[in-house]
Amino acid sequence: MKRFIIILLVTCSLSSQAQNTKIAVLKQFLSDIIKIDGNQLNQQQPIISINNMAQAKADKTIEINRENISTALQEAQNYKYCLISVDAHTLVRVISFKDSSPSGAWHAAMPLCKGYIQRSGVLHEQKDYLKNLIGRPDSQVRMMYLFN
């Protein structure tokens, strides 16, 4: 019984540390765009909370799809920061509009981005062209948040 309690305590402690690390990573990633209070974030799905904060603080918000992504990316070049989310699992920011790669699926030049994809509760850091981070056009909600 003692052994079970110790294992349970260690597991809970490691889970708490993982959640705190996830929050810290996202706070650092967005530190120059959005000031995040860790208490405001959903511990299991922090990207949902960040989407809500970005929606409230962005200078402009655009739901992107295949038909409007070219125009949206052109407009994003007039802003200091461009943050893009896919549903509750992906959060990326554009790091270079000059470094881009054409996408046949999106019919647009996709800029170089850096971000995080959450799989099985774990954040995976990615640096790649936008097309490879947000996937192919489908029914998922993709939001672009623009900030000055």
Side-chain angles (χ1 to χ4, degrees), residues 86 96 140:
V86 181
S96 175
Q140 295 182 86

Side-chain angles (χ1 to χ4, degrees), residues 1-56:
M1 183 69 168
K2 271 186 173 178
R3 189 173 190 197
F4 174 74
I5 292 172
I6 291 172
I7 290 171
L8 182 63
L9 290 173
V10 169
T11 303
C12 289
S13 175
L14 290 174
S15 176
S16 176
Q17 288 175 352
Q19 292 300 336
N20 290 338
T21 301
K22 186 188 309 184
I23 301 294
V25 164
L26 290 172
K27 283 174 76 171
Q28 177 62 34
F29 178 63
L30 298 170
S31 65
D32 53 344
I33 301 175
I34 304 171
K35 302 299 179 220
I36 297 174
D37 176 5
N39 296 328
Q40 296 174 322
L41 294 182
N42 175 316
Q43 298 293 316
Q44 300 301 315
Q45 295 288 331
I47 294 174
I48 292 172
S49 302
I50 290 169
N51 285 341
N52 292 335
M53 287 179 219
Q55 180 80 33

Side-chain angles (χ1 to χ4, degrees), residues 33-134:
I33 301 175
I34 304 171
K35 302 299 179 220
I36 297 174
D37 176 5
N39 296 328
Q40 296 174 322
L41 294 182
N42 175 316
Q43 298 293 316
Q44 300 301 315
Q45 295 288 331
I47 294 174
I48 292 172
S49 302
I50 290 169
N51 285 341
N52 292 335
M53 287 179 219
Q55 180 80 33
K57 296 181 180 185
D59 294 307
K60 184 160 188 173
T61 302
I62 304 169
E63 184 172 348
I64 54 176
N65 54 49
R66 183 187 310 210
E67 289 74 31
N68 72 354
I69 194 160
S70 290
T71 306
L73 287 170
Q74 267 191 321
E75 185 169 353
Q77 293 181 48
N78 298 321
Y79 290 82
K80 190 172 182 180
Y81 302 106
C82 175
L83 189 65
I84 299 171
S85 71
V86 181
D87 280 341
H89 57 78
T90 301
L91 188 66
V92 299
R93 63 189 288 179
V94 174
I95 57 175
S96 175
F97 283 104
K98 291 180 182 176
D99 186 356
S100 64
S101 175
S103 170
W106 287 95
H107 305 293
M110 303 298 259
L112 185 63
C113 295
K114 179 180 179 180
Y116 293 91
I117 299 172
Q118 183 170 315
R119 292 186 196 107
S120 302
V122 178
L123 288 176
H124 298 275
E125 184 176 12
Q126 303 283 314
K127 181 179 178 184
D128 204 341
Y129 294 102
L130 183 61
K131 63 184 180 182
N132 298 322
L133 299 175
I134 65 170

